Amino acid sequence: MSPSIVENDSDVLDLVQMDSYGVVGKQQAELWAKELYPPSVASIESLNKVSVMDMILNSRNPGSYVLVRLTPTKTLPLGLGVGADETGNMVGIQILPQDGQQVYNEYLGGAEFLIIKEPLYIAYPKSSAGYVSVYHISDVVALLPGDPRIPQGWKSKVQISMKEWRLAGNQAVREKNFYDAITCYNEALFQARSQDDRQTLILNRCHARISIQCFDTALEDANAVLKHSANNEKALFRKAEALYHLRQFKDAQKTLDHLTTVFPDNKMAHQRSERVRDRLQEEAGNYDFPAMLEGTSQPTRVDRASFIGCVEVRPCKVTSRGRGLFLTKPVKLGELLLCEKAFAVSLMSIHENIERGLPGHGLDTARDDMYKDCVFQLHRNPSRALSFSELHSGGSKAKETIVDGQRIIDGFMIDSIVALNCYKFPQSRDYHNKFLHADPDLEDYPRSAGVWVLASYINHSCLPNVERAFIGDMIVIRAAQNLAAGSELTLSYISILGGIEERQNSLKVYGFQCDCRRCQIDMDTPPACHLKRDRILNDLEVENSTLAMVDSKVAFKNIESLLDEFDATFNLPPPKIPRTEVYMELYITILNLHRWDRLADVVTTVHRLLKFSGYHVRVSKTKFRIAYWGSVNDFTVMGLAYLWKAYGTVNPLLCDDVEEALKMAYEVEVGERTSFEGVYGDFRPTGKADSAGTPPKAITIMDYASRGTK
């Protein structure tokens, strides 16, 4: 069975010295790793076996491998444990930046004997001894029972029968120790001789592998049994389970159809068939959004399929933009283009954000969590590796993908992909609702982070043409305007409210300078004009502070004059260059006017917000129509809501038209309109001349800037 774990590492402190980071020399190890340490793509057969004493300190030891017998330890947070070679020489083994226990259980399967390819051997401070630092986890190869490379002297002299291994594995399954169970079944399979025994053990291992989300190997196990027994009920069921979780729903349905035909009384198989049919409907874009929203007030994973609409990945015309996501046919405003399940996600609650003291709402820690999740997902299910590894990483990729039957996992490449492609996100419906009502908890609202493979191809623009929303761990992409076939989809990776300098500084982390139309115009604008806009924004803030405290017609008149002055600083109309920087103050003005029941002025100001956002609105006594849609964002959605309510008194005949426009904007911004009534039901016009009461306090730019960003 698996080796015992050292509870107290006092015996190995002279080998592995501890500090607040774990192993002394962690930073030094990372430095060496970045300079010298690509993943090994050599086969074991092509490498020379060396002992611990033969390894060269502070070197990658190219062309070599070391074989060790592992003694894992629980008390080294970054360490896997201590290994000894055949001569008994010991060496510490460090896994960066993984949790050693998780590596031992999940990646190595509790193996006792390891090969480390081209080991990076780093000296302890002021010592001639060293430890092996592993950043690329595929450099470690676990040897299964019976491997001829295991020295004879290391093999147990205690003979354990196949039946005993099988029973031990079954007991481990009952105790939900699935990694131990797999180890036991592997040992038993090494001894198994009859086909019946092998099928039983493989099916048991298949179940354990499904339980730890190793669906690729579980599928291999199920197919191995079906090769000899095509109608094996358990094998068919477990094959369908593995296919389902690999998101191969059509193949899962075929397998379940076969299963229910041969075994019509299998109720569980019929239930699974219904579940698969739901996923196939979702792949066609037919989502049950009410059911999808259940339980998503806190970040959660939802069991849903991805929908890929009329989009495809293509090289961009401007080569510096790399690849992008393009439309294959024309689409209308609000059309669902993509609804994708996350490849990896780090979900955080409010309490986790606070307790862990995470800067930026936990994005740094979330990226660390996603890195680990990606490493293990790529290990568990290599079939998913290609789509992930094709994402932009800012550097070169490993030349080989599979060596000695094992997929190469480049730790630095994964780290870079996560950093450059992850989205920080809230749950859109609840965040919008809190934003609308200026919830005091807004600042501490949980921002999780995730990587969505296809959505990651959507490039940045400060004038985006699609909007993203998040439901559980699904990203929802909808068209924010009518778009022609061949259009490249664009999102804003940052807050759209800032000026040119703020926006460009925010984008530096992604390694590019935005050259969208807005940025080009802003960069051509004289500095004196930018200073004038800043002065106007400051004056607007002062006037709004006055209007918040007293119903001042003078303050509102000053606000209108300042808005006219701001508009005059642009040479192009709002549909070409929206007056984005002023959205916040416009919305605050609407709130203040609503506070004083000045509904006619609310109508005027909302129309100005829409105009500044690039909308062309046509209004008559009986008809409200948006002839051209501009920017869809939280402010325009909330502005339409206040317009809807105000028209209930000013002109009720327009309420139905405004309501439909509001629902469309809400669907684009939040991803669905199912939750509309729950968020905006209180805004529904009553026809009475009373206000909705005191509006919420003003939102700050920082509150809005922390909304979902890439």
Side-chain angles (χ1 to χ4, degrees):
M1 299 181 72
S2 58
S4 60
I5 292 177
V6 177
E7 298 288 348
N8 186 332
D9 57 355
S10 59
D11 294 337
V12 297
L13 282 179
D14 55 339
L15 281 171
V16 183
Q17 304 174 46
M18 301 292 292
D19 66 2
S20 60
Y21 287 98
V23 177
V24 168
K26 171 179 179 286
Q27 292 177 330
Q28 180 189 6
E30 291 179 334
L31 179 63
W32 275 99
K34 289 179 180 178
E35 291 180 349
L36 304 173
Y37 202 3
S40 176
V41 294
S43 65
I44 297 174
E45 190 177 75
S46 69
L47 301 174
N48 296 316
K49 181 179 176 182
V50 297
S51 68
V52 169
M53 296 300 291
D54 292 331
M55 289 193 295
I56 302 171
L57 279 171
N58 296 331
S59 169
R60 178 65 197 274
N61 288 276
S64 305
Y65 75 85
V66 63
L67 172 64
V68 296
R69 185 176 192 173
L70 183 67
T71 301
T73 176
K74 283 186 174 180
T75 57
L76 301 180
L78 292 172
L80 182 60
V82 176
D85 64 15
E86 289 180 74
T87 61
N89 291 306
M90 301 178 72
V91 63
I93 302 172
Q94 182 186 49
I95 304 292
L96 291 170
Q98 304 289 345
D99 173 80
Q101 191 64 40
Q102 186 181 17
V103 170
Y104 175 65
N105 283 336
E106 189 158 338
Y107 188 82
L108 302 177
E112 187 175 2
F113 310 114
L114 309 177
I115 285 176
I116 304 174
K117 301 194 297 180
E118 300 187 302
L120 177 64
Y121 190 41
I122 296 178
Y124 290 116
K126 300 178 181 179
S127 173
S128 60
Y131 61 93
V132 173
S133 181
V134 178
Y135 201 93
H136 309 290
I137 202 167
S138 57
D139 289 350
V140 182
V141 179
L143 300 185
L144 295 176
D147 193 301
R149 290 168 293 191
I150 299 174
Q152 192 65 36
W154 283 359
K155 295 178 180 178
S156 173
K157 295 181 174 56
V158 178
Q159 294 298 315
I160 301 176
S161 69
M162 181 208 60
K163 181 179 179 181
E164 289 173 315
W165 280 120
R166 177 173 58 80
L167 293 175
N170 294 347
Q171 181 61 33
V173 167
R174 284 191 288 271
E175 296 172 356
K176 300 189 183 302
N177 295 325
F178 298 110
Y179 299 107
D180 287 348
I182 291 171
T183 299
C184 293
Y185 294 139
N186 285 337
E187 292 279 5
L189 278 165
F190 180 64
Q191 298 183 32
R193 295 294 178 264
S194 75
Q195 189 61 44
D196 287 346
D197 285 341
R198 291 190 62 80
Q199 286 198 4
T200 298
L201 290 166
I202 291 172
L203 279 173
N204 290 354
R205 185 177 65 183
C206 179
H207 168 68
R209 283 174 163 171
I210 288 173
S211 300
I212 58 172
Q213 301 177 40
C214 289
F215 304 118
D216 274 1
T217 51
L219 182 59
E220 290 174 5
D221 281 346
N223 282 330
V225 173
L226 292 170
K227 183 178 180 180
H228 298 280
S229 178
N231 292 328
N232 186 290
E233 187 173 12
K234 286 185 177 180
L236 286 168
F237 186 85
R238 289 171 187 172
K239 177 179 180 177
E241 285 288 283
L243 288 167
Y244 180 90
H245 291 290
L246 288 170
R247 321 206 68 72
Q248 298 176 29
F249 300 117
K250 290 182 180 178
D251 289 339
Q253 187 63 65
K254 289 179 183 177
T255 304
L256 287 167
D257 287 345
H258 181 179
L259 175 58
T260 52
T261 299
V262 179
F263 301 99
D265 295 331
N266 191 320
K267 294 181 180 179
M268 188 68 75
H270 287 288
Q271 292 174 3
R272 291 294 194 268
S273 290
E274 292 180 14
R275 184 178 68 165
V276 172
R277 282 192 288 271
D278 289 341
R279 301 294 85 79
L280 290 172
Q281 282 293 309
E282 291 158 3
E283 285 191 328
N286 303 313
Y287 286 91
D288 182 353
F289 280 110
M292 192 169 167
L293 285 166
E294 290 179 5
T296 60
S297 58
Q298 286 289 321
T300 187
R301 291 173 172 83
V302 295
D303 185 14
R304 293 293 183 270
S306 296
F307 163 71
I308 301 172
C310 53
V311 298
E312 66 180 13
V313 177
R314 296 183 200 162
C316 297
K317 291 181 180 179
V318 180
T319 56
S320 61
R321 292 175 64 85
R323 291 166 295 174
L325 202 61
F326 292 81
L327 290 174
T328 58
K329 68 177 186 179
V331 298
K332 298 289 188 182
L333 168 77
E335 189 167 332
L336 182 63
L337 305 178
L338 180 67
C339 189
E340 185 180 9
K341 188 168 177 64
F343 179 87
V345 68
S346 174
L347 302 173
M348 291 194 178
S349 68
I350 293 174
H351 298 297
E352 284 179 307
N353 280 335
I354 295 172
E355 290 171 3
R356 296 167 76 171
L358 304 178
H361 300 285
L363 183 57
D364 293 337
T365 298
R367 281 180 179 168
D368 288 344
D369 291 345
M370 281 191 297
Y371 169 83
K372 296 173 185 177
D373 189 22
C374 287
V375 167
F376 287 112
Q377 282 207 52
L378 296 175
H379 161 64
R380 292 185 199 120
N381 303 302
S383 63
R384 301 186 65 196
L386 182 60
S387 62
F388 176 82
S389 61
E390 286 293 310
L391 293 176
H392 175 57
S393 65
S396 60
K397 297 176 172 59
K399 295 180 181 179
E400 301 292 336
T401 55
I402 297 177
V403 176
D404 292 333
Q406 180 168 287
R407 182 165 295 277
I408 300 301
I409 297 178
D410 186 329
F412 291 133
M413 184 188 76
I414 293 172
D415 198 22
S416 182
I417 287 175
V418 168
L420 293 172
N421 293 277
C422 76
Y423 287 95
K424 180 175 69 172
F425 69 98
Q427 296 298 300
S428 297
R429 170 197 57 180
D430 297 291
Y431 180 86
H432 183 82
N433 193 23
K434 287 178 179 290
F435 190 36
L436 172 68
H437 295 97
D439 192 303
D441 291 334
L442 185 66
E443 186 177 350
D444 292 320
Y445 187 83
R447 273 81 168 179
S448 300
V451 173
W452 289 264
V453 172
L454 201 56
S456 292
Y457 286 101
I458 304 178
N459 283 316
H460 166 82
S461 172
C462 299
L463 294 173
N465 57 20
V466 299
E467 279 293 313
R468 63 172 170 260
F470 300 93
I471 304 174
D473 62 341
M474 306 288 290
I475 190 170
V476 182
I477 305 292
R478 290 187 182 273
Q481 54 193 250
N482 296 338
L483 296 169
S487 298
E488 183 185 358
L489 306 186
T490 57
L491 283 167
S492 180
Y493 294 177
I494 57 174
S495 169
I496 62 173
L497 301 182
I500 179 65
E501 185 176 351
E502 180 183 340
R503 299 198 310 275
Q504 295 292 357
N505 285 336
S506 297
L507 288 169
K508 284 181 179 178
V509 67
Y510 300 104
F512 67 86
Q513 185 177 47
C514 182
D515 60 354
C516 71
R517 185 173 71 249
R518 181 184 173 193
C519 285
Q520 289 177 352
I521 292 171
D522 280 352
M523 284 188 281
D524 291 338
T525 300
C529 187
H530 287 298
L531 291 173
K532 184 176 182 179
R533 290 175 189 171
D534 291 340
R535 189 265 302 168
I536 294 171
L537 288 171
N538 289 333
D539 290 347
L540 281 169
E541 186 175 352
V542 171
E543 296 297 340
N544 260 319
S545 297
T546 300
L547 189 58
M549 293 183 290
V550 60
D551 184 5
S552 170
K553 293 183 179 180
V554 173
F556 180 57
K557 184 177 180 180
N558 290 340
I559 288 171
E560 289 195 300
S561 296
L562 287 166
L563 291 170
D564 289 337
E565 187 180 2
F566 188 87
D567 190 30
T569 65
F570 292 85
N571 294 324
L572 293 173
K576 294 290 186 182
I577 179 71
R579 302 352 182 196
T580 310
E581 296 94 329
V582 83
Y583 288 172
M584 179 70 72
E585 290 303 326
L586 268 168
Y587 179 64
I588 292 172
T589 303
I590 293 166
L591 293 181
N592 289 333
L593 292 169
H594 185 266
R595 180 189 301 272
W596 306 116
D597 291 330
R598 292 170 56 177
L599 301 183
D601 289 336
V602 167
V603 170
T604 300
T605 309
V606 173
H607 275 279
R608 189 189 286 262
L609 171 62
L610 294 174
K611 177 185 175 183
F612 277 21
S613 301
Y615 289 71
H616 183 196
V617 180
R618 293 177 179 171
V619 183
S620 67
K621 290 183 179 180
T622 60
K623 193 71 177 174
F624 173 95
R625 185 171 74 88
I626 297 178
Y628 179 84
W629 282 73
S631 172
V632 179
N633 54 68
D634 285 308
F635 298 109
T636 52
V637 176
M638 295 184 295
L640 283 167
Y642 279 101
L643 183 65
W644 184 38
K645 187 164 185 64
Y647 271 142
T649 298
V650 175
N651 187 350
L653 294 176
L654 302 180
C655 287
D656 288 347
D657 290 341
V658 177
E659 178 182 356
E660 183 53 38
L662 171 58
K663 286 181 176 178
M664 173 61 75
Y666 180 83
E667 184 175 37
V668 171
E669 184 67 14
V670 177
E672 44 75 31
R673 63 172 67 188
T674 298
S675 60
F676 174 83
E677 196 64 33
V679 174
Y680 281 107
D682 292 344
F683 281 73
R684 185 170 295 282
T686 62
K688 299 178 182 179
D690 57 336
S691 76
T694 303
K697 70 177 179 68
I699 309 294
T700 69
I701 289 180
M702 286 304 297
D703 290 330
Y704 187 74
S706 62
R707 185 177 169 271
T709 53
K710 190 170 182 181

